[in-house]
Amino acid sequence: MLIAGILLVLVLVGAGLIWKRDSAVEVAPPEKAAAAEETASGSIGSTDAARPSAARGAQRWQFPVRSEAATKALQARAEAGDAAAQRELALAYDRCLMVSLDPADYPRQIHAFASTRGSAEEAAIAEQAGQALMEECAGLDDGQRIPLDAITMWMQQAAQGGDLEAIATTWRPANTHALEQAALWDRVIAEHHAEALYALSNLYQADERDRRFGDVLAGDHASTALELAACRLGKECGPGSVFMRTMCTAAGACADASYEELLLRALPAAERKVLQMQVEAVLQKLQRQGWASAEPGHR
């Protein structure tokens, strides 16, 4: 079932930065190291490089790519102690980990992967996503192999530097008091931080999540409802985003669609309705708990 694979997609592999999901991935795309989407910081933008268009010709976006110059600037900011840059660098390393193992062979892997997609449009999107990823990764450490511990190191440094998304990503409630768990949720809500909310949506945070949302979240899609709420509140999950680029290269879900649209397509009508109702209920509760607006663009 497609949704089972989608729910596992954003996992920082190796090095202990793992966001657990409910079940195993059922597809085998070339980028087995899944990633998290970039924040909307402007450091990743579209590229002028030619890429194949989606088959139906209606696609108006290109997958974003960070240029080599922007990548070097990002690394310089991270090395200078910028916590947000350290988090972005950790995510870039995670996305590029598998590409760096054999960059010369990655184009063949992408082409083979694209040839297994279910339609010409999906195949074109897969080719686009793989090309965009290769362009980004070529500028990271000059294309050298990425050490596993670099992902952990930069994300932990970002958390130590106070970056809220990094704190939420690396946080382990088993090692903290319940009051600290509640305080982290309170901070995420007070700061309207959609990316950190997404990071808190997984099963490790189930106790505090259930305390806050247990009256409106139930069943297999409780975490998914929080994820979609985060997308509606500002996390970049739309068509052509880095998030959806990774959905394609890491989970095989190559579509000219948002994360929510992709998930809803994979569900039977009855489950779709339940999930949509849960997302709306979560948004209402978040507003009552202090999230001032359910509009995107929290920063």
Side-chain angles (χ1 to χ4, degrees), residues 45 88 95 108 119 139-140 148 153 163 177 185 196 199 210 267 274 280-281 285 287:
E88 288 188 31
R95 278 194 299 276
R108 181 197 63 77
S119 70
L140 192 62
L148 266 177
M153 180 193 73
D163 183 84
H177 191 277
W185 277 85
D210 292 346
L267 290 173
V274 169
E280 294 294 340
K285 285 187 72 72
Q287 286 181 296

Side-chain angles (χ1 to χ4, degrees), residues 67-80:
S67 69
E68 183 173 351
T71 296
K72 291 185 182 302
L74 174 67
Q75 290 181 295
R77 294 197 307 275
E79 290 167 0

Side-chain angles (χ1 to χ4, degrees), residues 58-147:
Q59 178 181 301
R60 294 187 296 272
W61 47 264
Q62 289 184 317
F63 283 115
V65 175
R66 178 184 286 116
S67 69
E68 183 173 351
T71 296
K72 291 185 182 302
L74 174 67
Q75 290 181 295
R77 294 197 307 275
E79 290 167 0
D82 184 315
Q86 291 169 344
R87 181 245 307 148
E88 288 188 31
L89 186 58
L91 299 180
Y93 276 137
D94 187 65
R95 278 194 299 276
C96 293
L97 178 64
M98 294 304 294
V99 180
S100 77
L101 297 181
D102 193 351
D105 188 56
Y106 197 75
R108 181 197 63 77
Q109 296 178 44
I110 281 292
H111 185 69
F113 166 58
S115 70
T116 67
R117 300 303 87 201
S119 70
E121 179 185 45
E122 291 178 16
I125 292 172
E127 293 275 10
Q128 270 190 301
Q131 178 64 31
L133 180 65
M134 286 187 288
E135 289 175 28
E136 178 183 349
C137 298
L140 192 62
D141 288 350
D142 297 321
Q144 298 301 306
R145 179 172 292 196
I146 295 168

Side-chain angles (χ1 to χ4, degrees), residues 76 98 129 139 217 256 262:
M98 294 304 294
L217 291 181
D256 186 3
L262 189 65

Side-chain angles (χ1 to χ4, degrees), residues 63-278:
F63 283 115
V65 175
R66 178 184 286 116
S67 69
E68 183 173 351
T71 296
K72 291 185 182 302
L74 174 67
Q75 290 181 295
R77 294 197 307 275
E79 290 167 0
D82 184 315
Q86 291 169 344
R87 181 245 307 148
E88 288 188 31
L89 186 58
L91 299 180
Y93 276 137
D94 187 65
R95 278 194 299 276
C96 293
L97 178 64
M98 294 304 294
V99 180
S100 77
L101 297 181
D102 193 351
D105 188 56
Y106 197 75
R108 181 197 63 77
Q109 296 178 44
I110 281 292
H111 185 69
F113 166 58
S115 70
T116 67
R117 300 303 87 201
S119 70
E121 179 185 45
E122 291 178 16
I125 292 172
E127 293 275 10
Q128 270 190 301
Q131 178 64 31
L133 180 65
M134 286 187 288
E135 289 175 28
E136 178 183 349
C137 298
L140 192 62
D141 288 350
D142 297 321
Q144 298 301 306
R145 179 172 292 196
I146 295 168
L148 266 177
D149 58 4
I151 302 169
T152 306
M153 180 193 73
W154 285 116
M155 190 64 77
Q156 289 178 342
Q157 285 196 23
Q160 292 167 7
D163 183 84
L164 187 52
E165 184 180 351
I167 292 170
T169 300
T170 58
W171 181 61
R172 292 293 175 265
N175 300 325
T176 59
H177 191 277
L179 290 177
E180 294 178 56
Q181 299 180 33
L184 178 56
W185 277 85
D186 286 342
R187 182 183 168 191
V188 168
I189 293 170
E191 296 187 19
H192 304 174
H193 203 304
E195 289 84 2
L197 177 65
Y198 185 94
L200 289 178
S201 67
N202 65 72
L203 297 181
Y204 278 117
Q205 283 74 33
D207 290 345
E208 184 62 22
R209 182 197 71 194
D210 292 346
R211 187 183 74 78
R212 291 174 183 261
F213 305 105
D215 58 331
V216 297
L217 291 181
D220 295 335
H221 303 313
S223 294
T224 308
L226 268 176
E227 290 178 346
L228 296 185
C231 291
R232 291 201 194 178
L233 290 167
K235 177 177 170 61
E236 291 292 332
C237 310
S241 62
V242 174
F243 184 103
M244 293 306 295
R245 192 186 79 187
T246 301
M247 288 299 305
C248 180
T249 58
C254 304
D256 186 3
S258 69
Y259 184 45
E260 181 166 350
E261 291 168 339
L262 189 65
L263 288 174
L264 293 179
R265 289 177 191 174
L267 290 173
E271 288 186 59
R272 189 183 311 132
K273 183 177 181 180
V274 169
L275 178 57
Q276 289 174 311
M277 291 175 61
Q278 288 185 347

Side-chain angles (χ1 to χ4, degrees), residues 11-66:
V11 178
L12 288 173
V13 294
L17 292 180
I18 300 177
W19 303 340
K20 296 285 187 181
R21 287 291 183 259
D22 299 320
S23 54
V25 174
E26 297 180 356
V27 291
E31 187 196 350
K32 296 187 179 71
E37 85 333 329
E38 284 289 337
T39 58
S41 63
S43 58
I44 289 189
S46 61
T47 177
D48 294 329
R51 301 196 190 100
S53 299
R56 68 166 180 255
Q59 178 181 301
R60 294 187 296 272
W61 47 264
Q62 289 184 317
F63 283 115
V65 175
R66 178 184 286 116

